[in-house]
Amino acid sequence: MPVGQLVEEALRIAVAQPAVVAYDVAANVATHAKIVRTAGARLVVFPELSLTGYNLDAPALTCDDPRLVQIVAACADADAVALVGAPLADADGHAYIATLLVDGESVTVAYRKIHLHPPEDERFTPGDEHVVLDLDGRRLGLAICRDASLAEHAAATVTAGADAYVASTLNSPTDPRDARMHARAITHRMHVVLSCGAGPDGPLLTAGGSGFWAPDGTVIAQAGATPGEVVVTDLP
């Protein structure tokens, strides 16, 4: 089913928190492809920098990287769309922390992280566009990590037309992530979708807890702190 085609059914979404092998794009691609094939979801969301781990010196990828073909094939087999995290190089020599959109035909850039942490800003260029992905009649606003921690980012994304908020993050166990996702949901009366890394990742210890929040702020479904967990739910 093409991206953007309107249907009257719920949108089934999986949030994944895969075990990531530092710098090993090929190994991580294989893990992503397996999750896409087995999740049973139309959309599969992965954490920030999920193809390299949070290693800010990892070589940047391009959308025509041949290693990504495995995820394209998995999406074709599963009639799925995947949002995966990677350092991205563009034709002008800039590098971004990006979300790539993979479907059964191609890889494209979905979103570039706007709000960078130090030392991310020493290498990466911030994005400049709040992005809304139209998928099967739902308008999904995209965020990467620190973006989702700032109320103004969600507000601008809603202004751009989002009716749900989809964040790919790497939060620590002490981060008040759940409270923020609750706040985004109730402030804008929208569903919130979170994919957060779990376990050690580069210099970070990440918390897991990937999940879904209803517009009234209640948790619909949520993973624990273990790498490898995948949670699936339907957005009405």
Side-chain angles (χ1 to χ4, degrees):
M1 183 183 300
V3 172
Q5 182 173 330
L6 179 63
V7 296
E8 296 182 354
E9 299 176 354
L11 177 63
R12 180 159 292 179
I13 301 178
V15 288
Q17 47 191 53
V20 175
V21 181
Y23 300 100
D24 195 336
V25 174
N28 296 325
V29 161
T31 299
H32 283 54
K34 181 177 180 180
I35 290 171
V36 169
R37 283 196 167 93
T38 58
R42 171 67 170 143
L43 175 67
V44 186
V45 186
F46 292 91
E48 180 182 26
L49 294 175
S50 59
L51 291 180
T52 59
Y54 191 79
N55 300 287
L56 300 182
D57 59 343
L61 281 68
T62 57
C63 290
D64 59 358
D65 190 306
R67 293 170 292 188
L68 301 179
V69 170
Q70 286 188 57
I71 307 179
V72 174
C75 288
D77 291 345
D79 189 23
V81 174
L83 295 176
V84 306
L88 173 75
D90 72 6
D92 296 325
H94 298 110
Y96 300 89
I97 295 176
T99 296
L100 305 181
L101 187 152
V102 187
D103 61 20
E105 298 180 353
S106 64
V107 180
T108 56
V109 182
Y111 176 72
R112 297 169 174 87
K113 185 176 183 178
I114 295 174
H115 300 284
L116 301 173
H117 287 289
E120 295 169 355
D121 54 1
E122 295 177 9
R123 177 187 178 192
F124 295 103
T125 299
D128 59 4
E129 182 181 4
H130 293 85
V131 171
V132 177
L133 170 65
D134 187 350
L135 179 63
D136 299 350
R138 295 303 302 260
R139 292 182 58 78
L140 309 175
L142 303 185
I144 299 176
C145 209
R146 188 177 181 224
D147 294 331
S149 73
L150 301 174
E152 59 264 33
H153 183 275
T157 304
V158 170
T159 298
D163 61 33
Y165 195 56
V166 179
S168 298
T169 72
L170 294 172
N171 298 118
S172 74
T174 60
D175 189 278
R177 171 209 59 217
D178 286 11
R180 285 200 297 263
M181 297 304 100
H182 176 273
R184 304 294 169 265
I186 65 171
T187 298
H188 301 289
R189 304 300 297 175
M190 65 181 180
H191 286 91
V192 171
V193 179
L194 172 74
S195 174
C196 179
D201 190 343
L204 306 179
L205 176 62
T206 56
S210 301
F212 303 86
W213 284 257
D216 65 359
T218 58
V219 176
I220 300 170
Q222 191 168 26
T226 305
E229 291 188 56
V230 178
V231 177
V232 182
T233 199
D234 291 335
L235 260 61

